[in-house]
Amino acid sequence: KDKSAASKDSTPEGASKRQEDGAETPKQQLLDIIGSMKVEVSYRKKLQQLKASERKKQALNKLEGPDSEGSVPQGATEDTQRGKPLNPKLVKAASAVASSLPRNKEQTESELLAQLRRHEETTDKQKKGGTVNIRDVISEMTIKRQTPAQRSVRISRRISLQLDEDGQRIRPERSSAQFVDSRRSLKVGKRLNIFTKASAEPEDSLKTVSSPTIWDLEFAKEVAAVTAQPPRNGFEEMIQWTKEGILWEFPIDNEVGMEDDAEFHEHIFLEKHLEGFPKEGPIRHFMELVICGLSKNPYLSVKQKAEHIEWFQKYFEEKKELLQEI
Amino acid sequence: AAAALCWALRAARQVLPSPCPRQVRSYYVDWRMLRDVKRRKVAFEHADERLRINALRKNSILPRELQEVADKEIAALPRDSCPVRIRNRCVVTSRPRGVKRRWRLSRIVLRHFADHAQMSGVQRAMW
């Protein structure tokens, strides 16, 4: 019975929301159509129950008052007399829905309006920040009862599962139970409004990053110093050492730090560096020997070899006077 | 036991204050070690020059006058720049003799660490 009441509350809620949105987007219209279809199916059961309660009331009214139809205008006056009038759109929608349903139209309309009013009251309460009465919340919730079919399934699962650990045994049951209980789905029921939906704010426009000030750097250093906890075990110590550069990275790369992008011909054919030297004479002979030796050296980079040759060039230019005397 | 006595000697050495979280050895074992360190640094700086000037000197193609000039130049370099003055001392005790090159340790220290299983892959020989 509680479940039916809860579901009853949700659908007029949905109905009101739908009618408010109106024909905003085609998607909304589709949703409306689908939603309206839902209402027709489920509302009949609720209406039956409602009618049962209403008939009782009407019987009481008959006993008290002469008119049976008077209940409706009474209800209408009550509606108007209440402090907060309902949205006329909602009223119209309620009348439309009542007219679409086959049963007693006036009765359904009054019931719908009552539902809407209740919904409005709750929303007002929430807007004002009304505290969530835990008793109400708990009263809405029902005890989960196993159906005999489900019970048998669970027993069979228990028997089949190995007795490794208690936790492992219980877990698959829980996960399956959530999905198996289709009667009690997650989305049905009165909204408890305990959690507030986090508003998805659009990302702030990228702030122009000014050059990091000294204070920012100091703060960053402080944070790093505080967060750098001493290593808890040998692995963390090794990680720290690797970051600092004390420990090599494994698997060992023999060519770490040796980024020689030059091709082999740049190492071997070094004659283009010899353009500054005289073409004849002992110096040329000497430099050719130097180049021969450098080309056979695999340990130097091209830059280092070029530096050697440049040094010799400078040296001989300085000693030109001396050389001309000879 | 003998090594422990040697380690008692500590010489003062100024170390620039650096933001280093771990413990840093702020002293060299003794002054001789300090001097050796200095020599190594200077030799590294002048290594290339020495190589080139020696290349000029030690060949039979260039005229002798040039080679004599080169001789004078290399003599003018600082004395500590020659690699011959470097002595491979023990890193822990600064012992000049009995130092194994692979570990840079003197024989006594090496034995001490190996016996305490602090040298990876080093075992007492037995055959």
Side-chain angles (χ1 to χ4, degrees), chain A residues 241 286 289 308 315 319, chain B residues 22 52 56 59 61 69 73:
Chain A
W241 284 348
F286 173 74
L289 283 175
H308 275 297
Y315 184 82
K319 310 291 170 185
Chain B
R22 59 180 72 250
R52 290 157 190 162
L56 288 167
N59 67 62
I61 304 157
V69 169
E73 274 193 14

Side-chain angles (χ1 to χ4, degrees), chain B residues 84-115:
Chain B
V84 189
R85 289 171 69 100
I86 295 168
R87 182 79 198 185
N88 291 325
R89 288 178 165 271
C90 169
V91 166
V92 176
T93 51
S94 179
R95 196 163 194 274
R97 294 191 175 109
V99 180
K100 294 306 284 177
R101 258 219 163 174
R102 184 172 165 182
W103 298 278
R104 301 178 188 175
L105 293 175
S106 86
R107 53 180 179 81
I108 305 156
V109 177
L110 178 63
R111 241 175 73 93
H112 181 268
F113 284 142
D115 287 341

Side-chain angles (χ1 to χ4, degrees), chain B residues 15-117:
Chain B
V15 167
L16 294 165
S18 58
C20 196
R22 59 180 72 250
Q23 288 180 350
V24 182
R25 180 189 290 281
S26 50
Y27 303 106
Y28 285 106
V29 177
D30 53 9
W31 291 96
R32 284 172 288 174
M33 196 191 229
L34 213 184
R35 277 183 265 147
D36 196 57
V37 168
K38 277 191 211 167
R39 277 179 208 133
R40 281 168 194 267
K41 284 184 188 165
V42 175
F44 179 78
E45 285 162 23
H46 296 277
D48 288 336
E49 286 173 30
R50 286 193 92 95
L51 174 72
R52 290 157 190 162
I53 295 167
N54 269 327
L56 288 167
R57 283 168 65 214
K58 311 278 180 181
N59 67 62
S60 52
I61 304 157
L62 295 173
R64 267 183 213 173
E65 290 83 0
L66 204 64
Q67 286 174 358
E68 280 163 24
V69 169
D71 284 339
K72 285 176 197 169
E73 274 193 14
I74 205 167
L77 286 173
R79 204 165 266 194
D80 276 350
S81 65
C82 61
V84 189
R85 289 171 69 100
I86 295 168
R87 182 79 198 185
N88 291 325
R89 288 178 165 271
C90 169
V91 166
V92 176
T93 51
S94 179
R95 196 163 194 274
R97 294 191 175 109
V99 180
K100 294 306 284 177
R101 258 219 163 174
R102 184 172 165 182
W103 298 278
R104 301 178 188 175
L105 293 175
S106 86
R107 53 180 179 81
I108 305 156
V109 177
L110 178 63
R111 241 175 73 93
H112 181 268
F113 284 142
D115 287 341
H116 287 67

Side-chain angles (χ1 to χ4, degrees), chain A residues 68-230:
Chain A
S68 62
E69 294 180 354
S71 64
V72 171
Q74 278 180 17
T77 50
E78 275 178 28
D79 287 342
T80 50
Q81 276 167 15
R82 290 262 182 105
K84 192 161 184 223
L86 284 173
N87 203 350
K89 274 192 193 174
L90 291 176
V91 172
K92 274 189 208 169
S95 60
V97 168
S99 58
S100 69
L101 290 167
R103 303 269 164 72
N104 198 345
K105 288 173 191 174
E106 290 159 350
Q107 226 176 39
T108 51
E109 198 179 327
S110 65
E111 285 150 20
L112 276 169
L113 288 169
Q115 285 295 324
L116 285 169
R117 180 156 294 100
R118 252 186 273 169
H119 169 66
E120 289 275 347
E121 279 177 18
T122 52
T123 47
D124 287 344
K125 240 198 246 173
Q126 289 301 325
K127 279 179 194 171
K128 286 168 195 171
T131 53
V132 178
N133 209 344
I134 292 171
R135 277 188 193 172
D136 295 339
V137 166
I138 292 167
S139 64
E140 292 276 350
M141 300 189 329
T142 56
I143 302 158
K144 187 171 103 173
R145 269 164 204 163
Q146 293 182 359
T147 57
Q150 288 172 346
R151 216 183 286 161
S152 63
V153 168
R154 274 171 207 163
I155 289 162
S156 65
R157 270 195 209 130
R158 262 181 221 163
I159 291 160
S160 65
L161 279 171
Q162 290 170 17
L163 297 171
D164 294 324
E165 290 163 32
D166 288 336
Q168 279 193 2
R169 207 180 56 189
I170 292 162
R171 253 182 254 151
E173 284 180 25
R174 267 192 212 153
S175 61
S176 61
Q178 279 176 5
F179 297 115
V180 165
D181 277 330
S182 57
R183 304 180 287 124
R184 266 220 162 273
S185 64
L186 292 169
K187 299 203 179 159
V188 160
K190 193 168 131 188
R191 280 199 150 236
L192 301 173
N193 286 317
I194 300 168
F195 303 107
T196 53
K197 198 174 177 184
S199 59
E201 290 174 3
E203 284 186 17
D204 295 332
S205 59
L206 293 168
K207 295 172 192 169
T208 53
V209 177
S210 58
S211 63
T213 62
I214 296 166
W215 304 115
D216 292 339
L217 291 168
E218 283 297 318
F219 181 65
K221 277 185 206 172
E222 250 187 76
V223 165
V226 166
T227 52
Q229 297 297 323

